[in-house]
Amino acid sequence: MQTASLTALARDHLATATTSSSGRSAHTIRGGHERMLRQTLIALRAGVSLDEHDNPGEATVQVLHGRVTLVAGDDRWNGSPGDLMSVPDSRHALEAVEDSVVLLTVAKRP
């Protein structure tokens, strides 16, 4: 069995994101391109966004630290620590309102 401390990973990747020129840092915790289920920890510096992109399958975003906004067209959903947001089945973006870390879980379409 493989275990990972989300708290430690969040702290480390947030430190990397805040000093990175891109303002981002990510780590695949489970899965990969060859797997259907994928979990990725994503850290974003305040003001940084993941630009609009397609949804590759069923997905959720769990906010571990900070505040984010999930945007799909004219719809916006705000997330704070502990919130679990369903990602819409449409093009969407994720904006970091403050330094933030999220856990993205995706079940890719076959």
Side-chain angles (χ1 to χ4, degrees):
M1 177 189 221
Q2 185 181 25
T3 62
S5 169
L6 294 179
T7 303
L9 284 169
R11 181 183 55 245
D12 294 346
H13 283 274
L14 190 55
T16 300
T18 57
T19 60
S20 168
S21 61
S22 69
R24 306 175 188 181
S25 183
H27 176 75
T28 299
I29 296 170
R30 177 168 173 76
H33 295 291
E34 70 284 351
R35 300 249 175 148
M36 191 169 290
L37 178 67
R38 181 180 220 177
Q39 290 182 297
T40 306
L41 182 125
I42 303 170
L44 301 169
R45 183 176 59 227
V48 171
S49 298
L50 295 179
D51 294 335
E52 189 175 75
H53 55 279
D54 291 322
N55 184 336
E58 290 185 61
T60 60
V61 171
Q62 180 180 359
V63 183
L64 303 176
H65 178 84
R67 292 186 306 124
V68 297
T69 301
L70 183 61
V71 181
D74 292 333
D75 295 320
R76 300 175 71 81
W77 300 274
N78 297 315
S80 299
D83 289 347
L84 181 66
M85 301 185 293
S86 294
V87 177
D89 191 20
S90 61
R91 291 186 61 76
H92 60 278
L94 184 69
E95 303 170 350
V97 177
E98 55 190 43
D99 291 350
S100 300
V101 180
V102 301
L103 180 64
L104 171 66
T105 301
V106 176
K108 294 189 300 186
R109 294 183 178 101

